[in-house]
Every structure is written in C-alpha cells, then in structure tokens.
Amino acid sequence: MLSALSVVFAFGLLVIIHELGHFIVARLNGIKVLEFAFGFGPKIIGFKGKETNYSLRLIPLGGFVKLYGMDAEFDENGNQSIAPTNDPRSFNNKKVWQRMSVIAAGPIMNLVLAIFLFIIVFAFFGIATANDTNVVGTLIEGMPAQAAGIQPGDKVVSVNGVETTTWTDLTQAIHKMPEKDITLVIEHEGQQRALTIKTELDAASGHGLVGIGPEVTYQKTSLPEAAQYGFKQTVSFTRLVLVTLAQMVTGETKAELGGPVAIVQAIDQSAESGWENYLGFIGILSIQLGLLNLFPIPALDGSHLVFLLIEGLRGKPMNPERQNFIHFLGFIFLMALMLAVTYQDILKLFAGKG
C-alpha cells in the first residue's frame, strides 16, 4: 500500500505542478481556462469552479490544461466551435510572447519544483558526504556486487590480495580492472569470505565497476545554504541530463530508455531507502520531465514553442491543420515509444526474476 502511495504521490506532484504552471500563467495573461485535469481518458470525478472544470481522469500518467481558443471546441452533439477572433480571453488572440510564456511555464515549474525539493532535502536532512572507509553503503541493482551477495554494511577488506582500508583504495583497485575477474575479501558481521566477481566496463570513463557506493553521512546546513545548494544541484543535474542525451545521440554512451514500469520501480526503491532519497529522486524526475517537454518534439510543449517562434518571425501563424497533423504524428510516435520501452521494462522485470 505504501509503495503504491509513493508512486501515485510522485506522479501526481510532477503532473500537477507542471500543469499548474500553465494554469497560473494563462490566468495572469487573461486567458480563460476551460479545464484543469489530472490524468487522461474517461473522467472519474470532477467539479466546476467559477469558470474552470477540475477533473480526475482514469489514467494517471499525465494531465492537461484546456485553454479557451487554443483548439476547436465540440459541443455535446459533436458540433465544432471556434473562439471568436476578437475575444480578448482567447489563447490565440494573445500576443506571441504571452502564448510562449504560458507554454514554457509548465517545464519551468518542473525545474522550480526540483529546486524546492532539493532545498527540503538539504535543509531537513543535510548535505550528504561520502565516508572514506571500506564499508559498502549502497548497491546498484543488477550489477556484479549485488549478484554476488554483497550487502550494505559489508567491509571490503582487500582486492586481489591488496589491503583496502579506505574507499579511495577500494575504488582505485577496482577501477583499473575493467571486465576482469577480481577477488574481494568481504567481512560480514565479523566473518570474512572471498568472492570472485567480474567487473563491468564503464564506457564513459573506461573504469571497471562492480556497482557499490560508499556510506554517507549528512551534515546539517542553514536554510540559506540549503537554498544555494538546491539551486546548484538543479543546475548540476540539468547539465548532466543534457550531456548524457548528447552522448547518446553521438553514440558515446549506450542509449538506455526506461518506461513507466522502470520509473515506478525506481520510485519504489527510492521511497524504501528514506525520505531524503525519495524526495531527491522526485526532484531528478522533475528535471527530466521539464527538459523533455522543452525539446521540439511534436505533441510536447517544445514543439508549441517552435511554432510560436516561427509565427513571431513570419508575422503570421502556421496553417492550423498542418500543426495539428504534426502534433498527431508526434503523439503517435510518443505512444509507440512508450509501448516499446514499457515492453522492454517488462522483459527486464521477468528476466530479473528468472
């Protein structure tokens, strides 16, 4: 039950904050908001505010804000109606920069959410500092160390007969042995045993890896320091995501995509490892969601921004039918991609249980 709640809360927070960005900036620009929805598909429950319908939909994998005049509306009989060209509350009757601000507000709010979550982590839990000891703090799922039965709290006494009393000694000994068998002497609850495992190659650095992380301690910090670290952390992860994507495109890094199943698993694992990891992971997801929506992929916010930029440069909008067709193709592509990565997630899930 707790696992399900952690996943629902994470997805809900990411989506609601994103759509809230569109909603707030639309209202600030005097645009009428017809509906604020969490989820897709059939409506489960809803209520009407002063002029906006608020609804909860069946599929909780997104949401939307319906803006007056942005798209053609249909009545109960299926008749199409378009907002009057002189209606000041219509989205399409606003200036280009106003419409761009509404579209960009969603992704920007995701970045703001990431900063806020990192500030909470730093302010309430402190700044994580790796301990320079030979004690294993974390394990990466599916990596050799976990498969060999190493557990958090175990000490790595030696690597290939060389004593490792610090984390620096340990990582240096493993890093210089990519894709090779190494012998580790592990101390678990006072008992020592030798394990022979094969390291994996980290393509980016050329180092050997077994999938272990050090123990960390948290140092308390003031709120102003937490705010500074929260901003820096968001900038750092944003840069990391962009660099990683660039490396995937150029072939420097193997392209590995995770779908909804993989994301749910990761959220569940972060929730089990403590509030600081759970909130921090949501912050990372929020950065990824914000950046993804800014990419010029049809059906996402980025493509709307590109069309608006073209309109601003040309002095007139693109053909609406052409825009809708491009967005439709983008939607089909995204659905196909989601199905593909979900299928791969399920294959990995069952392979891990075999």
Side-chain angles (χ1 to χ4, degrees), residues 243-272:
V243 169
T244 302
L245 285 172
Q247 290 175 339
M248 286 183 180
V249 171
T250 58
E252 294 180 47
T253 301
K254 182 180 177 181
E256 293 186 2
L257 299 176
V261 176
I263 294 173
V264 166
Q265 282 185 303
I267 292 173
D268 185 32
Q269 291 168 5
S270 69
E272 290 178 354

Short mmCIF file of all heavy atoms in Angstrom, two decimals, residues 243-272:
data_model
loop_
_atom_site.label_atom_id
_atom_site.label_comp_id
_atom_site.label_asym_id
_atom_site.label_seq_id
_atom_site.Cartn_x
_atom_site.Cartn_y
_atom_site.Cartn_z
N VAL A 243 24.08 16.57 -21.14
CA VAL A 243 25.33 15.95 -21.61
C VAL A 243 25.11 14.48 -21.94
O VAL A 243 25.57 13.98 -22.98
CB VAL A 243 26.44 16.11 -20.55
CG1 VAL A 243 27.66 15.24 -20.91
CG2 VAL A 243 26.87 17.56 -20.44
N THR A 244 24.37 13.78 -21.08
CA THR A 244 24.09 12.36 -21.31
C THR A 244 23.30 12.16 -22.59
O THR A 244 23.59 11.25 -23.38
CB THR A 244 23.32 11.76 -20.11
OG1 THR A 244 24.08 11.94 -18.92
CG2 THR A 244 23.06 10.28 -20.33
N LEU A 245 22.28 13.01 -22.81
CA LEU A 245 21.49 12.91 -24.04
C LEU A 245 22.35 13.18 -25.28
O LEU A 245 22.21 12.49 -26.29
CB LEU A 245 20.33 13.90 -23.99
CG LEU A 245 19.16 13.52 -23.07
CD1 LEU A 245 18.17 14.69 -22.97
CD2 LEU A 245 18.44 12.28 -23.60
N ALA A 246 23.24 14.16 -25.17
CA ALA A 246 24.13 14.47 -26.29
C ALA A 246 25.04 13.28 -26.58
O ALA A 246 25.29 12.94 -27.75
CB ALA A 246 24.95 15.72 -25.98
N GLN A 247 25.52 12.62 -25.53
CA GLN A 247 26.39 11.45 -25.71
C GLN A 247 25.63 10.28 -26.31
O GLN A 247 26.17 9.51 -27.09
CB GLN A 247 27.00 11.05 -24.37
CG GLN A 247 28.03 12.05 -23.85
CD GLN A 247 28.54 11.69 -22.46
OE1 GLN A 247 27.90 10.94 -21.71
NE2 GLN A 247 29.70 12.22 -22.09
N MET A 248 24.34 10.16 -25.96
CA MET A 248 23.52 9.11 -26.57
C MET A 248 23.33 9.35 -28.06
O MET A 248 23.41 8.43 -28.87
CB MET A 248 22.14 9.06 -25.89
CG MET A 248 22.14 8.46 -24.50
SD MET A 248 20.45 8.38 -23.82
CE MET A 248 20.78 7.66 -22.20
N VAL A 249 23.10 10.62 -28.42
CA VAL A 249 22.88 10.97 -29.83
C VAL A 249 24.15 10.72 -30.64
O VAL A 249 24.09 10.22 -31.78
CB VAL A 249 22.43 12.44 -29.96
CG1 VAL A 249 22.42 12.87 -31.42
CG2 VAL A 249 21.06 12.63 -29.34
N THR A 250 25.30 11.06 -30.08
CA THR A 250 26.57 10.90 -30.80
C THR A 250 27.12 9.48 -30.72
O THR A 250 28.11 9.16 -31.36
CB THR A 250 27.62 11.88 -30.25
OG1 THR A 250 27.81 11.65 -28.84
CG2 THR A 250 27.17 13.32 -30.47
N GLY A 251 26.49 8.64 -29.90
CA GLY A 251 26.94 7.26 -29.77
C GLY A 251 28.01 7.04 -28.74
O GLY A 251 28.54 5.92 -28.60
N GLU A 252 28.40 8.09 -27.98
CA GLU A 252 29.42 7.93 -26.96
C GLU A 252 28.93 7.08 -25.78
O GLU A 252 29.71 6.43 -25.10
CB GLU A 252 29.86 9.32 -26.43
CG GLU A 252 30.57 10.17 -27.46
CD GLU A 252 30.97 11.52 -26.88
OE1 GLU A 252 31.53 11.53 -25.77
OE2 GLU A 252 30.71 12.55 -27.52
N THR A 253 27.62 7.14 -25.53
CA THR A 253 27.01 6.37 -24.46
C THR A 253 25.87 5.55 -25.02
O THR A 253 25.13 6.02 -25.89
CB THR A 253 26.46 7.32 -23.35
OG1 THR A 253 27.53 8.10 -22.84
CG2 THR A 253 25.85 6.52 -22.21
N LYS A 254 25.74 4.32 -24.52
CA LYS A 254 24.66 3.45 -24.98
C LYS A 254 23.32 4.05 -24.58
O LYS A 254 23.12 4.45 -23.43
CB LYS A 254 24.82 2.06 -24.35
CG LYS A 254 23.75 1.06 -24.80
CD LYS A 254 23.96 -0.29 -24.14
CE LYS A 254 22.86 -1.26 -24.54
NZ LYS A 254 23.03 -2.57 -23.88
N ALA A 255 22.39 4.13 -25.53
CA ALA A 255 21.06 4.69 -25.26
C ALA A 255 20.22 3.67 -24.51
O ALA A 255 19.93 2.59 -25.03
CB ALA A 255 20.38 5.07 -26.57
N GLU A 256 19.85 4.00 -23.28
CA GLU A 256 19.00 3.14 -22.47
C GLU A 256 17.81 3.95 -21.98
O GLU A 256 17.99 4.91 -21.23
CB GLU A 256 19.77 2.56 -21.29
CG GLU A 256 20.88 1.58 -21.70
CD GLU A 256 21.52 0.91 -20.51
OE1 GLU A 256 21.07 1.17 -19.38
OE2 GLU A 256 22.47 0.13 -20.71
N LEU A 257 16.62 3.57 -22.42
CA LEU A 257 15.41 4.29 -22.05
C LEU A 257 14.61 3.46 -21.06
O LEU A 257 14.47 2.25 -21.22
CB LEU A 257 14.56 4.59 -23.29
CG LEU A 257 15.22 5.48 -24.35
CD1 LEU A 257 14.30 5.60 -25.56
CD2 LEU A 257 15.54 6.85 -23.78
N GLY A 258 14.08 4.12 -20.06
CA GLY A 258 13.21 3.45 -19.10
C GLY A 258 11.79 3.95 -19.25
O GLY A 258 11.57 5.16 -19.38
N GLY A 259 10.84 3.04 -19.28
CA GLY A 259 9.44 3.40 -19.41
C GLY A 259 8.76 3.51 -18.07
O GLY A 259 9.42 3.54 -17.02
N PRO A 260 7.44 3.54 -18.08
CA PRO A 260 6.68 3.67 -16.82
C PRO A 260 6.98 2.60 -15.79
O PRO A 260 7.05 2.89 -14.59
CB PRO A 260 5.22 3.59 -17.30
CG PRO A 260 5.25 4.04 -18.72
CD PRO A 260 6.56 3.55 -19.26
N VAL A 261 7.20 1.36 -16.24
CA VAL A 261 7.48 0.27 -15.30
C VAL A 261 8.79 0.52 -14.58
O VAL A 261 8.89 0.38 -13.35
CB VAL A 261 7.51 -1.09 -16.03
CG1 VAL A 261 7.91 -2.21 -15.06
CG2 VAL A 261 6.15 -1.40 -16.64
N ALA A 262 9.83 0.91 -15.33
CA ALA A 262 11.14 1.18 -14.74
C ALA A 262 11.07 2.37 -13.78
O ALA A 262 11.70 2.36 -12.71
CB ALA A 262 12.18 1.43 -15.83
N ILE A 263 10.32 3.40 -14.17
CA ILE A 263 10.19 4.58 -13.31
C ILE A 263 9.48 4.23 -12.01
O ILE A 263 9.89 4.66 -10.93
CB ILE A 263 9.44 5.70 -14.06
CG1 ILE A 263 10.27 6.19 -15.25
CG2 ILE A 263 9.13 6.87 -13.13
CD1 ILE A 263 9.54 7.17 -16.14
N VAL A 264 8.41 3.43 -12.11
CA VAL A 264 7.69 3.00 -10.90
C VAL A 264 8.61 2.22 -9.97
O VAL A 264 8.61 2.43 -8.76
CB VAL A 264 6.45 2.16 -11.29
CG1 VAL A 264 5.89 1.43 -10.07
CG2 VAL A 264 5.38 3.04 -11.90
N GLN A 265 9.42 1.32 -10.54
CA GLN A 265 10.36 0.55 -9.73
C GLN A 265 11.36 1.46 -9.03
O GLN A 265 11.65 1.29 -7.84
CB GLN A 265 11.12 -0.46 -10.60
CG GLN A 265 10.33 -1.71 -10.96
CD GLN A 265 11.18 -2.70 -11.72
OE1 GLN A 265 11.74 -2.39 -12.78
NE2 GLN A 265 11.30 -3.89 -11.18
N ALA A 266 11.88 2.44 -9.78
CA ALA A 266 12.88 3.35 -9.21
C ALA A 266 12.28 4.22 -8.10
O ALA A 266 12.92 4.45 -7.07
CB ALA A 266 13.46 4.23 -10.31
N ILE A 267 11.05 4.69 -8.31
CA ILE A 267 10.38 5.48 -7.27
C ILE A 267 10.18 4.64 -6.01
O ILE A 267 10.43 5.10 -4.89
CB ILE A 267 9.02 6.01 -7.78
CG1 ILE A 267 9.23 7.05 -8.88
CG2 ILE A 267 8.21 6.63 -6.63
CD1 ILE A 267 7.94 7.49 -9.55
N ASP A 268 9.74 3.40 -6.20
CA ASP A 268 9.52 2.49 -5.07
C ASP A 268 10.80 2.26 -4.30
O ASP A 268 10.83 2.30 -3.06
CB ASP A 268 8.96 1.17 -5.60
CG ASP A 268 8.58 0.21 -4.48
OD1 ASP A 268 8.16 0.69 -3.41
OD2 ASP A 268 8.70 -1.01 -4.67
N GLN A 269 11.90 2.01 -5.01
CA GLN A 269 13.19 1.77 -4.35
C GLN A 269 13.68 3.00 -3.60
O GLN A 269 14.21 2.89 -2.48
CB GLN A 269 14.23 1.33 -5.39
CG GLN A 269 13.97 -0.05 -5.96
CD GLN A 269 14.82 -0.34 -7.18
OE1 GLN A 269 15.70 0.45 -7.55
NE2 GLN A 269 14.58 -1.47 -7.82
N SER A 270 13.50 4.18 -4.20
CA SER A 270 13.94 5.41 -3.52
C SER A 270 13.12 5.66 -2.26
O SER A 270 13.64 6.12 -1.25
CB SER A 270 13.84 6.61 -4.48
OG SER A 270 12.49 6.93 -4.77
N ALA A 271 11.81 5.33 -2.32
CA ALA A 271 10.95 5.52 -1.15
C ALA A 271 11.36 4.59 -0.02
O ALA A 271 11.33 4.97 1.16
CB ALA A 271 9.49 5.28 -1.53
N GLU A 272 11.78 3.38 -0.37
CA GLU A 272 12.19 2.41 0.65
C GLU A 272 13.51 2.81 1.31
O GLU A 272 13.77 2.42 2.45
CB GLU A 272 12.33 1.02 0.03
CG GLU A 272 11.00 0.38 -0.37
CD GLU A 272 11.19 -0.97 -1.02
OE1 GLU A 272 12.35 -1.35 -1.26
OE2 GLU A 272 10.18 -1.66 -1.28
#
